[in-house]
Amino acid sequence: SIKKGGEIIPPTGTPMLLEITTTYENTEITLPHLDGYNYDYTVDYGDGTILSVTSYDDVNCTHIYTTPGVYTLSINGTCETFYVNWSDISFSITKILQWGDVGIILPNFGGCSILTEITNDTYSGLTNVTTFEYSFSETLISEIPTGLFDNCTSTTNFYGTFRDCSSLTSIPTDLFKYNTQVSTNGFQSTFQNCTSLLSIPTDLFRY
């Protein structure tokens, strides 16, 4: 992020967009990042608050929504991890609206118990991801976008990716067509306990 005359100038590029839903006053969220990765982005919390983040534990990663409502959170710049992994923000993310092109390496929305919708990778923002371990486990998604992983040719691990997604009813044909670096063990528990699945495409893991 660049500051000019005290004003934060958002970087050029396509942002990651998340829908945040709060039901209580003064709901606090913390953007979940891992140490050892790069962060240099502008976050727009959707309530008029726009801040700059340059480290995994930046104070600007924590925000309080004073009023209950539905907000669009925007991350624009470099953000190599978004690692929910059953942390407190998991109770506030309801949709992944856009992956953008923020250089994400580790996306994890595991435990987002009110997440109902994820989007396709329109801007090739998932190209650098090597593992989707537990990325969408225990969410409420009912479908997977066709071609979600088409740009993820370096991915080696889908362990538990959709584990315990009890609302998931279908799997797109050729979902893993371009993920040829994944070993047999890399698909372990990918759809374990997806109790609403009606069918599984033929040769889903043959690539």
Side-chain angles (χ1 to χ4, degrees), residues 40-95:
D40 185 10
Y41 65 82
T42 297
V43 55
D44 183 339
Y45 284 101
D47 61 354
T49 304
I50 302 175
L51 299 169
S52 178
V53 171
T54 57
S55 66
Y56 82 101
D57 58 352
D58 197 303
V59 294
N60 290 337
C61 289
T62 297
H63 180 66
I64 295 176
Y65 288 99
T66 57
T67 305
V70 179
Y71 303 92
T72 298
L73 186 152
S74 169
I75 292 176
N76 197 2
T78 299
C79 177
E80 291 188 339
T81 76
F82 197 92
Y83 204 76
V84 177
N85 199 37
W86 287 265
S87 61
D88 288 347
I89 196 175
S90 64
F91 301 109
S92 300
I93 301 174
T94 43
K95 293 180 182 179

